[in-house]
Amino acid sequence: LETARRYAPAALLAAGRDRVSAVVDLRGAAVAPSGRARVLTATGNPGAVERSARQAGFAPVELAAYRDHHWWTVDEALREVARAGDATLLLTRKDAVRWPLSPEQGRVAVLDVEWEWVAGGERLERHVFEGA
């Protein structure tokens, strides 16, 4: 922020990040994040999903990235479950709505991620929403 402030001293600056808020199974029950994981994602930033899996507590983490907004077929999903083996197959909340298998078919978990401000966010929100 200090570097940006030198170039734009009058700008209202803030910084934020994604934070894993929960890991749940396909039914919504809490999952303890540990051990091997295969991250299966069809998002625009697969590296961020992989980092989130590590932050949650999974290790080692393997990444399987598909094009953004991909809809898995049943055959693709079954292959991914087989590739995961004894690892947890991790999906983002966005990807989970496109997952074609039932909760009984494989060890699948969902990463829930939230946005949090780390600096200046409250002031920025007041400025945007309240004009203050």
Side-chain angles (χ1 to χ4, degrees):
L1 291 177
E2 292 308 314
T3 299
R5 195 173 319 283
R6 287 196 307 261
Y7 294 100
L12 187 58
L13 301 175
R17 66 176 176 198
D18 292 329
R19 177 183 65 79
V20 176
S21 59
V23 180
V24 298
D25 66 18
L26 291 172
R27 289 187 179 96
V31 171
S34 65
R36 291 182 48 243
R38 179 173 173 84
V39 172
L40 181 62
T41 183
T43 60
N45 191 349
V49 180
E50 181 181 13
R51 284 189 299 279
S52 292
R54 292 180 199 287
Q55 289 170 357
F58 291 98
V61 174
E62 177 184 7
L63 177 63
Y66 286 70
R67 67 174 169 70
D68 199 10
H69 304 288
H70 179 73
W71 284 80
W72 288 279
T73 65
V74 169
D75 286 342
E76 286 173 327
L78 289 170
R79 279 194 301 273
E80 288 296 344
V81 167
R83 286 181 184 130
D86 64 346
T88 300
L89 186 62
L90 286 175
L91 304 169
T92 65
R93 178 64 55 195
K94 173 187 161 189
D95 292 324
V97 300
R98 297 188 305 273
W99 187 246
L101 301 182
S102 70
E104 296 80 23
Q105 293 175 284
R107 193 164 93 200
V108 180
V110 178
L111 285 168
D112 281 329
V113 178
E114 295 178 346
W115 176 260
E116 71 178 353
W117 292 112
V118 294
E122 296 80 16
R123 181 173 173 223
L124 179 65
E125 285 184 3
R126 276 195 310 277
H127 178 76
V128 170
F129 297 117
E130 301 168 12

